Amino acid sequence: MTRISRISGFSVFLLMLAPPLSALANPHEFKLANGLKVIVKEDHRAPVVVSQVWYRAGSMDEYNGTTGVAHVLEHMMFKGTPSVPAGEFSKMIAAAGGRDNAFTSRDHTAYFQQLQKSRLELSFKLESDRMQNLQLTDREFAKEIKVVMEERRWRTDDKPQSLVYEEMSAVAFKEHPYRRPVIGWMNDLENMTGQDARDWYQRWYAPNNAVLVVVGDVQPKAVFALAQKYFGHAKAKALPERKPQQEPDQQGVRRVNVKAPAKLPYLLMGYHVPVLKNPEQDWEPYALEMLGGVLDGNESARLNKALVRDSRVASSAGASYDAISRGPGMFLLDGTPSEGKNVAELEAAIREQIDKIKQDGVTEDELLRVKAQVIAAQVYQQDSTFYQAMQIGEFETAGLSYKALETRLAKLKEVTAAQIQEVARKYLTDDSLTVATLDPQPLEGKQPVAPPKGLHH
């Protein structure tokens, strides 16, 4: 992708903000009698289709003692039904020239297939079957839970930065279930049973807790008819009441230090911030997205320029913020100190950059460049049918409408320099800050771990 910082001229900026013609066609929405929401977006540029089934059930819906069960069930969804034996789901998709996978997050669990458009019916047939008829045997569970435990070792236990993030979340959140890792605590995985997975499946896997998203070279009426044929007979369920689980206000800096075998130290800072709840009226989440762009995103962004290139206090430094989630938000800053520097010096340097924004704000030229960068990234995702579907699914399972995607672009364009300065002053304060550091330990005897076999990610 062309670096946004090299582009000048207001006319070019406006051109970049214009979405491709395919993105201008509104998605079509339909709801089955059993509560399944079907959203179809036409994109006729290639004879392919992406089909995704999103369940509004992620790790935030788990109970203590069964952390990781949402992700375990994702693995078990490939273990067969009476009509499709274990392991055959992916083979059938591959034989049809397609690909499939799944992913679990704090907020949702999703399953997808990418196929030639004429094979969409196969996707619906297979997904509707495992939505209703999954076989969760103790024998298959006993094998798969070992894969998940190995995945935890590979993704988290043997990756120091992942450990730091896990520890920071556990300290930053006291009440909210975001404090628990999506992969689950190892002790819970070791003591999990097939019945735990069966309970999760029975509790959450229902058409009235799901969204079917289809994007590609399709006709909406034909897709709705197929959805009715295959998903229409799935029975709705009475879903459990979801408690608010509001995170109490933080009172002062929280710190955690993680000792783990690693080559270099690492710093992670997290501030509690709001997320998007009312796309039409909210403005702070959009300003926070732009603040993230000011600090990170290209070579001219403040953290890279000031910390990596100029002062060389860091070998890398970044910022991230996700405005779309069911639970509370976090504005994250992280970095690795340069050789001869330590995490305390890096933290001081990051704080200095934040203070400059609080005191002096951002320039209009900087704002223009960042708007081009942030908004173009949103628009470029429309080039991919997969990411078009991803955006729709993420918005819907977060409790927002896919219609808010257009609102989001318009609101990002409206963000002012004063608003960026205001959210920095309001939210990037010590009272909402958690700092996690990695204290590197000797690497003696540590061997790189290969990813576990059968990993569905």
Side-chain angles (χ1 to χ4, degrees):
M1 186 170 67
T2 304
R3 291 202 183 281
I4 307 304
S5 57
R6 293 182 189 165
I7 298 173
S8 61
F10 193 67
S11 60
V12 179
F13 170 62
L14 290 178
L15 179 65
M16 292 185 66
L17 300 191
L21 291 176
S22 62
L24 298 177
N26 285 322
H28 307 263
E29 183 179 343
F30 181 70
K31 201 163 193 176
L32 302 186
N34 57 15
L36 178 69
K37 184 183 283 190
V38 186
I39 300 171
V40 181
K41 187 174 182 182
E42 298 176 75
D43 187 331
H44 300 290
R45 290 174 296 173
V48 296
V49 63
V50 173
S51 178
Q52 300 178 346
V53 176
W54 294 69
Y55 293 93
R56 198 168 188 253
S59 65
M60 72 173 285
D61 300 295
E62 296 167 349
Y63 302 133
N64 281 339
T66 59
T67 63
V69 69
H71 174 246
V72 170
L73 197 277
E74 176 217 307
H75 280 243
M76 294 302 296
M77 283 285 277
F78 293 86
K79 295 304 174 182
T81 67
S83 58
V84 180
E88 289 300 308
F89 187 109
S90 295
K91 289 180 182 177
M92 293 171 73
I93 295 294
R99 67 184 186 93
D100 74 308
N101 216 319
F103 50 89
T104 307
S105 81
R106 291 164 160 178
D107 299 335
H108 50 249
T109 310
Y111 304 84
F112 69 84
Q113 296 81 44
Q114 196 157 357
L115 295 153
Q116 205 276 340
K117 66 177 184 178
S118 64
R119 305 312 303 268
L120 180 61
E121 186 168 3
L122 173 64
S123 169
F124 281 18
K125 181 179 179 180
L126 291 171
E127 282 291 6
S128 63
D129 180 34
R130 66 179 176 181
M131 177 185 280
Q132 305 165 77
N133 306 310
L134 186 66
Q135 289 184 319
L136 276 158
T137 66
D138 288 339
R139 180 181 177 184
E140 286 292 341
F141 177 85
K143 290 190 290 185
E144 199 61 28
I145 195 68
K146 292 178 182 177
V147 174
V148 175
M149 285 190 283
E150 192 58 34
E151 182 182 347
R152 184 191 153 85
R153 294 185 190 100
W154 175 60
R155 289 189 186 277
T156 304
D157 295 345
D158 291 315
K159 292 197 174 174
Q161 292 189 5
S162 297
L163 279 177
V164 172
Y165 177 77
E166 184 175 87
E167 287 297 314
M168 192 215 69
S169 298
V171 171
F173 295 106
K174 295 295 185 184
E175 161 69 14
H176 199 273
Y178 276 5
R179 70 190 311 273
R180 303 190 292 249
V182 174
I183 191 75
W185 298 113
M186 185 62 87
N187 183 254
D188 287 350
L189 296 176
E190 290 169 343
N191 290 283
M192 196 172 289
T193 67
Q195 189 59 45
D196 291 324
R198 287 188 286 271
D199 289 345
W200 182 262
Y201 178 72
Q202 291 300 326
R203 187 179 300 131
W204 297 116
Y205 277 55
N208 52 315
N209 194 43
V211 180
L212 172 61
V213 181
V214 177
V215 176
D217 188 13
V218 294
Q219 299 298 326
K221 287 185 179 179
V223 176
F224 295 153
L226 269 183
Q228 181 64 53
K229 176 181 177 181
Y230 286 102
F231 291 93
H233 49 81
K235 292 182 179 179
K237 295 177 183 176
L239 300 172
E241 180 187 358
R242 298 184 197 259
K243 302 291 186 181
Q245 302 185 91
Q246 194 74 28
E247 180 67 21
D249 289 341
Q250 187 171 325
Q251 307 293 339
V253 180
R254 296 172 185 165
R255 292 184 178 273
V256 60
N257 185 51
V258 178
K259 289 185 176 182
K263 291 181 180 179
L264 299 168
Y266 173 68
L267 170 72
L268 179 62
M269 302 167 65
Y271 295 90
H272 290 284
V273 293
V275 294
L276 198 59
K277 295 300 180 187
N278 188 325
E280 293 285 350
Q281 296 180 13
D282 291 349
W283 65 268
E284 291 180 333
Y286 304 118
L288 286 163
E289 285 194 65
M290 288 298 176
L291 175 59
V294 169
L295 291 166
D296 190 13
N298 59 54
E299 287 184 5
S300 298
R302 293 197 177 198
L303 293 181
N304 186 69
K305 183 179 184 303
L307 276 57
V308 179
R309 289 161 52 198
D310 292 349
S311 70
R312 300 189 179 183
V313 70
S315 60
S316 66
S320 64
Y321 164 68
D322 188 357
I324 312 303
S325 72
R326 287 169 54 197
M330 291 289 286
F331 192 97
L332 300 174
L333 299 125
D334 75 330
T336 299
S338 298
E339 190 174 352
K341 303 292 184 180
N342 57 45
V343 289
E345 290 169 301
L346 177 55
E347 180 184 340
I350 290 175
R351 285 175 174 273
E352 182 182 354
Q353 293 305 308
I354 293 170
D355 287 341
K356 283 183 178 180
I357 293 174
K358 289 180 180 180
Q359 292 164 16
D360 306 326
V362 298
T363 67
E364 287 301 322
D365 286 346
E366 188 175 27
L367 177 61
L368 192 65
R369 185 177 68 248
V370 170
K371 277 189 178 181
Q373 165 207 325
V374 172
I375 298 170
Q378 297 287 325
V379 173
Y380 287 150
Q381 286 193 336
Q382 301 303 313
D383 288 340
S384 162
T385 52
F386 179 79
Y387 282 105
Q388 288 180 60
M390 284 287 293
Q391 285 184 321
I392 292 170
E394 286 176 349
F395 269 65
E396 288 287 332
T397 51
L400 305 168
S401 169
Y402 66 86
K403 298 171 185 175
L405 283 163
E406 288 186 17
T407 304
R408 184 188 195 182
L409 274 177
K411 291 289 189 179
L412 285 170
K413 294 175 191 177
E414 294 172 4
V415 172
T416 66
Q419 288 176 327
I420 295 174
Q421 185 178 26
E422 186 173 338
V423 292
R425 287 174 171 172
K426 183 176 179 180
Y427 293 110
L428 304 195
T429 67
D430 279 3
D431 279 353
S432 67
L433 171 63
T434 300
V435 180
T437 54
L438 171 65
D439 181 0
Q441 303 296 301
L443 285 164
E444 298 163 7
K446 291 293 291 184
Q447 298 294 323
V449 180
K453 294 179 181 179
L455 195 59
H456 287 292
H457 296 287

